Amino acid sequence: MNKAFLFIITGAALWGTIGWYVNHLYDYGFTPMEVVTLRAWTSAILLLIFMLIAAPKKMKLKSFTDIRYFIGTGIFSIIFFNYCLFTAIELSTIPMATALLYTAPAFVIIISFFVFREPLTRVKIISLILTLFGTALVVGLIPINLQAIQIGSILFGLGSGIGYALYSIFSKFALKKYSSLIITTYTFTVAAIALTPFFPYSEKGHLLMDPTVLLYAFGLGFLPTAFAYIIYTYGLNQTEASNASILSTIEPVVASLIGVFIFQEAFTFIQMIGMGCIIGAVILVQYRRRPEGRSKSYMQN
């Protein structure tokens, strides 16, 4: 397997473990956006401590205007997609919101075609269709209930997909000047600062003194956040943004398996088919036919 693809899949698989930490934090009374704030702050703290010890000189921005990349990844991606996702969940259902979130590869492919001139190949289109269909099966959106659909939930759901997609787009620009570690550090530092005013410290600040809460919070900030984003971004540096976005859809497969084996959630034959579609898309996107690549290359000039 291509090393870049392996990094991307591993990062996405780690994202799929988020539910384990989040569910435990919910048990302590934290709301979804409060958990997002905890996630941003703990990951930022861990990353800043590491960078200040290991490579403090690399923390300096090459140009102050480069902060725009991290405003893009931290606010327009991380915060925006989480806000849209949680709003979509409130307006509809978790399956509906999750399925709309994973329209992100479609947005990445379209944006990358125009911005980075990444070729729109048949393999990508087929992989995208398999991904969207497989995700809908995994999250239980098919068969669909038309009466449960609201315009607001669709708009916020698509907003979450766009926000999710923007991480790959802004990171591609930042990777021209910065490493994946620096990008991840600044992304979550910016996100943490922006989210600070929205956390109810007077009401729930005392919970942060609980060692178990801190364990779950910093666990969430480390493995499925800081580490996952570092290796995903590292892989992104070595492949096309459109391919990376398709590979990242392995996340709902991992999340579903954790739900089945750890939280004893139901698992159906339809979900199994959906997982097969997503895994098939991941395998397919690695298949690069040289004749197609050569025939398309002139379109990039």
Side-chain angles (χ1 to χ4, degrees), residues 20-221:
W20 187 81
Y21 301 94
V22 171
N23 281 338
H24 284 295
L25 289 171
Y26 284 167
D27 290 339
Y28 281 87
F30 291 105
T31 66
M33 284 309 296
E34 289 165 3
V35 172
V36 174
T37 304
L38 290 175
R39 184 187 185 191
W41 263 107
T42 52
S43 58
I45 290 170
L46 291 170
L47 287 163
L48 286 170
I49 291 174
F50 176 80
M51 288 303 300
L52 290 173
I53 294 173
K57 293 182 180 179
K58 292 185 178 180
M59 285 295 295
K60 185 178 179 180
L61 292 176
K62 296 179 181 179
S63 171
F64 182 75
T65 57
D66 290 345
I67 196 68
R68 67 185 187 275
Y69 300 135
F70 310 117
I71 290 174
T73 55
I75 296 177
F76 290 103
S77 178
I78 300 298
I79 295 178
F80 178 70
F81 102 70
N82 277 285
Y83 172 75
C84 287
L85 176 63
F86 292 139
T87 304
I89 290 172
E90 287 180 351
L91 294 175
S92 58
T93 62
I94 291 177
M96 171 68 75
T98 305
L100 290 170
L101 171 65
Y102 282 98
T103 58
F107 292 115
V108 174
I109 288 175
I110 293 169
I111 296 171
S112 297
F113 177 75
F114 290 104
V115 176
F116 303 121
R117 298 196 178 274
E118 294 181 3
L120 188 61
T121 65
R122 286 190 294 272
V123 170
K124 288 181 184 177
I125 294 172
I126 294 171
S127 298
L128 177 62
I129 293 171
L130 279 173
T131 295
L132 294 175
F133 181 68
T135 301
L137 291 176
V138 168
V139 302
L141 188 61
I142 296 177
I144 192 167
N145 181 6
L146 294 175
Q147 294 181 345
I149 297 177
Q150 299 180 29
I151 297 297
S153 64
I154 293 176
L155 293 177
F156 278 105
L158 291 175
S160 70
I162 294 172
Y164 196 36
L166 288 177
Y167 182 82
S168 296
I169 302 301
F170 282 114
S171 291
K172 266 295 185 183
F173 285 109
L175 282 165
K176 296 176 182 178
K177 301 176 70 173
Y178 300 96
S179 68
S180 60
L181 181 57
I182 295 296
I183 292 170
T184 307
T185 300
Y186 272 108
T187 292
F188 284 97
T189 300
V190 169
I193 293 171
L195 286 167
T196 298
F198 302 100
F199 191 86
Y201 298 97
S202 59
E203 297 176 19
K204 298 181 179 178
H206 68 282
L207 292 174
L208 301 180
M209 299 297 104
D210 188 320
T212 306
V213 170
L214 290 177
L215 179 64
Y216 290 130
F218 276 94
L220 175 64

Side-chain angles (χ1 to χ4, degrees), residues 133-134 137-138 267-279:
F133 181 68
L137 291 176
V138 168
F267 183 70
T268 66
F269 180 68
I270 290 179
Q271 286 177 304
M272 188 183 298
I273 294 174
M275 288 184 183
C277 289
I278 294 173
I279 293 171

